[in-house]
Amino acid sequence: MIISNTEGLAGREIQEVLGLVRGSTVRARNLGRDFFAGLKNIVGGEIEEYTKLQADAREQALQRMIQDAENLGADAVVNVRFTSSTISQGASEVLAYGTAVKLG
């Protein structure tokens, strides 16, 4: 599966647009991560526990989007974007979305 954040793919022709595909996940912080994050807030710097949590969430959302595209028979997903939103205090959604296409 080819994944791109551009409208097209160099050297490839889009034969058919199959539609919007998406994948999402909702992740919550946990007490252990919050404890270490609180310590990091005191001394400053990157909160690595949250960075990993967000990276894992993006990867899971991306994989779910790819599965959605595969279910449509897509060869690629173009115009891929990520967005996130707060669901509740301590929990957020990460959404990956794009346009599933068939290539020539």
Side-chain angles (χ1 to χ4, degrees), residues 29-77:
R29 302 179 313 202
N30 70 37
L31 188 57
R33 283 190 178 125
D34 284 347
F35 175 76
F36 290 111
L39 292 175
K40 190 62 94 164
N41 278 334
I42 294 169
V43 297
E46 179 181 10
I47 303 173
E48 294 173 5
E49 294 81 14
Y50 291 160
T51 299
K52 182 172 178 354
L53 179 69
Q54 285 298 97
D56 291 345
R58 281 190 302 272
E59 185 60 32
Q60 185 172 42
L62 183 64
Q63 291 306 314
R64 288 178 175 174
M65 182 199 69
I66 291 169
Q67 183 63 55
D68 195 21
E70 288 173 345
N71 290 342
L72 293 177
D75 299 318
V77 182

Side-chain angles (χ1 to χ4, degrees), residues 60-94:
Q60 185 172 42
L62 183 64
Q63 291 306 314
R64 288 178 175 174
M65 182 199 69
I66 291 169
Q67 183 63 55
D68 195 21
E70 288 173 345
N71 290 342
L72 293 177
D75 299 318
V77 182
V78 296
N79 268 339
V80 172
R81 302 289 186 261
F82 288 93
T83 188
S84 63
S85 61
T86 301
I87 300 296
S88 66
Q89 185 176 2
S92 64
E93 176 190 35
V94 174

